[in-house]
Amino acid sequence: SMLGVVQQVSKDIDNLEIGMLATFDQLFAGIRSSLKSASQKSIEVAERNVNNPLAVKLLKALFLVKYVEGFNATSRNLLVLMYDKFGLDLPALSKRVEEALALLETQTYIQRNGNTYEYLTNEEQVIEAEIKEVDLDASEISQRLFKLISDVIKGPKIRYAKNGQDFSFGFKLDDQPYGKQQELSLHFISPNYDTQNVDDVRIQSAGRDELRVILAEDVRLISDLRLLLKTEKYTKRKSSMSMTPEAQRILSSKAAFNSEREKELLERLKKSLGTSTLYVNATLIEPTSQDAVTRITDGFQTLVGYTYSQLSILGGVTYSEGQIADFANPNAESLIDVGPLLKLTPAADDVLSFITRQEILGAKVTVKAIVDYFEAKSYGWYLAAIQVCIARLVGISKVVISLDGNIIKRTEIAALLRNTQKHAHAIVSIQKQYDEHKVAKFREFCTSFFDDAQTPKDPIELVRYASDRFLALKNELTARLENSTYPFVQQLQDPTTLIMEVTGHSTEWYFEEFSSRSIALR
């Protein structure tokens, strides 16, 4: 009987008996007299109005299998049911079946959910027709398509494999930006795009910092998405209205079908992205993977390399905030002048060149200005690498950082650079170079006078060290003079006056003027 025939459909065509299939086509005629007129009304209307015998035949077949559990009414299985004699041209028949199903769907005799088709009863036809009349804005379609794509890709960052750096990106769909935009973009081109000329789309990507992703062809993607949204709107609207039990059943069925439709659309979108065409700067990128995320990630690597041509200056080394103090501290020189960290030198040189150029132009260079410049194209450096470069320049006495007019101690550089709120106020300046011979003589004096072999080598730190020690000594001597009652303490008056004279001067003064007083201090 009918159930046996339907179960047989799932087997290969070569194993099917032609006579059995011919019997299937005659089943409807055999039971027609037993059916209620309402049940077959759609078929009667189709017989009068549909000028396509194969479409009418398919409608009868779908009517008969509507309530057969386990049968999937796909176009392939329906093709098998239409194969009723030997020698038929299968490709031609398949095309005719697809056209006939599209016709029935358009005229609301049947509905399609993914790859399966279903006969619609009179009540179902009414609801399906109402669904198709629901109004949609083009923006609603784009918004949902973007959501589906973002559900697949998951953002907003992709890792650059060569150095492990995460790059943020912005989403675009058919020239429309979505969400927060970044310097880099993933720009998806859907079947809904104004032009589907691939060469035009390729040329439009020239000179842009984007990975252009042309979705693989899916002729039903947009129409299915439109139906998804219309059904969604309709079921939400009707759910608050009074309806007959049959209408409520149909509405629940529509909602369930729609949920499955969205899942099926997401899977189709993954396949479309997995075989998408990728362009960077009008150049075709050809990843081998057909996994959607892997394919996009592979294409993104090319985009990063194209946009940030100076990224390689970092030498592929990953730096962290924890290294800032070591680079800024002159006592840690031995830790950073060996091994892979030497690769930082070219990057630090670029930062020094930027600061020098800005000072020549008369600009004040803040830490924020440096970060903004080197985070953008054509560098694309990450924050920790820029912070370490600045610290390195401080550590080798190339620059100084001042805040509110005060030069920051090297021991405080790490805390300052890690505090991004202070970046806009921290001024980075080229450190003045002093006569090495004079610096050495002053350091020699400090080592001897303060009896400290660990006096700093850097001129700025050396002066800071000496100033602090002179001030402490001055305060100590002054306190003794003021608080002691012994007459011999007055012998400290002249040394105290001399110490007061050499306390609190500029860096230049200590290297240029101090030497004339050094003998007296000794």
Side-chain angles (χ1 to χ4, degrees):
S1 89
M2 182 176 69
L3 179 57
V5 174
V6 170
Q7 290 173 337
Q8 192 72 19
V9 172
S10 62
K11 298 182 180 179
D12 293 335
I13 291 177
D14 291 342
N15 297 328
L16 291 172
E17 297 180 12
I18 300 302
M20 184 179 292
L21 290 178
T23 302
F24 180 89
D25 188 37
Q26 298 167 2
L27 284 174
F28 183 80
I31 64 172
R32 188 164 196 161
S33 59
S34 303
L35 297 174
K36 295 180 180 179
S37 59
S39 302
Q40 57 178 313
K41 184 177 180 181
S42 294
I43 296 174
E44 292 172 350
V45 172
E47 287 175 329
R48 291 194 303 269
N49 300 327
V50 178
N51 188 23
N52 185 323
L54 182 60
V56 175
K57 189 175 179 181
L58 282 165
L59 185 61
K60 293 176 181 178
L62 286 167
F63 171 82
L64 292 172
V65 301
K66 180 175 177 67
Y67 302 108
V68 177
E69 188 175 349
F71 178 76
N72 291 321
T74 63
S75 59
R76 179 197 173 277
N77 286 345
L78 293 170
L79 167 66
V80 174
L81 295 179
M82 299 302 104
Y83 191 85
D84 56 2
K85 62 181 177 181
F86 288 116
L88 288 178
D89 184 343
L90 279 178
L93 179 59
S94 176
K95 183 178 179 180
R96 289 174 55 214
V97 167
E98 293 285 354
E99 291 173 349
L101 289 170
L103 175 64
L104 292 172
E105 184 185 3
T106 301
Q107 298 187 11
T108 322
Y109 289 103
I110 64 174
Q111 70 173 359
R112 177 174 51 82
N113 185 41
N115 294 321
T116 62
Y117 296 83
E118 182 184 7
Y119 175 87
L120 294 175
T121 63
N122 291 340
E123 294 88 346
E124 289 171 338
Q125 278 192 43
V126 171
I127 290 177
E128 186 70 13
E130 289 178 351
I131 288 174
K132 290 180 177 179
E133 292 298 318
V134 172
D135 289 330
L136 282 182
D137 293 332
S139 61
E140 293 179 86
I141 300 170
S142 297
Q143 285 280 0
R144 179 56 68 89
L145 181 57
F146 160 70
K147 182 182 182 304
L148 290 172
I149 292 174
S150 58
D151 284 346
V152 175
I153 301 302
K154 296 181 174 64
K157 295 182 179 181
I158 293 179
R159 178 155 295 180
Y160 186 52
K162 288 186 178 180
N163 67 355
Q165 181 176 344
D166 291 330
F167 284 91
S168 299
F169 62 86
F171 273 111
K172 290 182 181 178
L173 174 63
D174 297 338
D175 293 332
Q176 179 68 37
Y178 286 88
K180 183 179 180 181
Q181 294 303 292
Q182 304 289 345
E183 196 163 53
L184 302 179
S185 297
L186 294 185
H187 189 170
F188 298 91
I189 304 298
S190 77
N192 214 27
Y193 195 53
D194 288 341
T195 175
Q196 281 301 304
N197 186 309
V198 174
D199 200 50
D200 288 346
V201 176
R202 176 187 67 81
I203 293 171
Q204 290 168 6
S205 70
R208 300 188 182 186
D209 301 319
E210 65 179 33
L211 174 65
R212 188 160 285 216
V213 184
I214 306 176
L215 274 65
E217 184 177 359
D218 185 337
V219 293
R220 295 204 312 264
L221 179 65
I222 299 302
S223 61
D224 284 358
L225 183 58
R226 188 177 288 109
L227 183 58
L228 170 77
L229 291 170
K230 287 187 173 188
T231 305
E232 203 169 72
K233 268 191 169 183
Y234 182 84
T235 53
K236 285 180 180 179
R237 184 189 304 161
K238 288 290 185 179
S239 60
S240 60
M241 299 181 181
S242 177
M243 303 177 70
T244 65
E246 176 62 12
Q248 289 178 345
R249 182 197 66 78
I250 295 172
L251 200 66
S252 297
S253 176
K254 290 288 183 185
F257 270 130
N258 217 37
S259 179
E260 291 303 315
R261 180 180 287 121
E262 185 167 22
K263 292 177 183 177
E264 191 259 347
L265 271 173
L266 190 61
E267 290 306 311
R268 280 165 53 192
L269 191 58
K270 287 180 181 178
K271 291 180 181 178
S272 184
L273 289 168
T275 54
S276 56
T277 304
L278 310 181
Y279 288 106
V280 171
N281 190 32
T283 301
L284 178 66
I285 310 301
E286 300 183 274
T288 56
S289 176
Q290 292 191 355
D291 173 76
V293 175
T294 303
R295 189 177 185 85
I296 300 302
T297 301
D298 290 348
F300 194 79
Q301 308 300 304
T302 303
L303 174 62
V304 171
Y306 161 73
T307 304
Y308 302 120
S309 57
Q310 305 299 317
L311 185 61
S312 59
I313 295 177
L314 292 176
V317 179
T318 301
Y319 300 97
S320 67
E321 285 188 349
Q323 295 172 292
I324 297 174
D326 288 340
F327 278 94
N329 187 347
N331 296 325
E333 290 281 338
S334 59
L335 298 177
I336 62 176
D337 281 344
V338 295
L341 295 182
L342 276 175
K343 293 183 178 180
L344 184 66
T345 299
D349 287 345
D350 268 33
V351 175
L352 181 61
S353 296
F354 170 75
I355 298 169
T356 302
R357 291 195 305 271
Q358 294 303 302
E359 286 198 350
I360 291 173
L361 295 172
K364 285 187 177 181
V365 184
T366 63
V367 172
K368 183 179 186 303
I370 296 172
V371 171
D372 289 347
Y373 182 80
F374 285 94
E375 279 187 335
K377 61 183 301 188
S378 58
Y379 286 91
W381 296 355
Y382 52 97
L383 178 59
I386 301 170
Q387 292 169 323
V388 167
C389 283
I390 298 172
R392 170 65 169 165
L393 293 174
V394 172
I396 60 177
S397 305
K398 295 295 184 181
V399 302
V400 292
I401 303 179
S402 57
L403 187 66
D404 299 328
N406 300 313
I407 295 178
I408 304 301
K409 296 179 181 179
R410 291 185 178 183
T411 53
E412 299 171 353
I413 289 294
L416 173 67
L417 291 178
R418 284 196 291 264
N419 188 344
T420 56
Q421 292 184 350
K422 292 185 177 181
H423 283 187
H425 309 288
I427 307 297
V428 184
S429 308
I430 300 296
Q431 181 170 324
K432 183 178 179 179
Q433 299 302 303
Y434 300 94
D435 187 304
E436 292 182 3
H437 177 69
K438 293 179 179 179
V439 173
K441 288 198 68 172
F442 183 62
R443 182 172 185 270
E444 180 184 354
F445 166 82
C446 291
T447 300
S448 174
F449 186 77
F450 297 117
D451 191 23
D452 184 1
Q454 300 299 318
T455 52
K457 295 179 181 180
D458 176 71
I460 301 297
E461 293 296 317
L462 177 61
V463 168
R464 188 195 303 277
Y465 166 86
S467 295
D468 291 345
R469 294 297 295 266
F470 281 141
L471 179 61
L473 183 57
K474 183 202 75 170
N475 292 337
E476 180 184 350
L477 293 175
T478 301
R480 287 184 182 275
L481 284 169
E482 292 176 352
N483 299 323
S484 178
T485 58
Y486 296 106
F488 61 81
V489 173
Q490 294 304 312
Q491 298 179 38
L492 296 175
Q493 185 64 56
D494 289 342
T496 301
T497 301
L498 190 55
I499 291 295
M500 292 175 68
E501 289 178 2
V502 298
T503 300
H505 292 284
S506 66
T507 301
E508 289 80 0
W509 187 91
Y510 284 104
F511 296 137
E512 298 296 336
E513 304 293 334
F514 180 80
S515 58
S516 63
R517 295 168 171 76
S518 60
I519 296 176
L521 283 176
R522 287 176 185 275

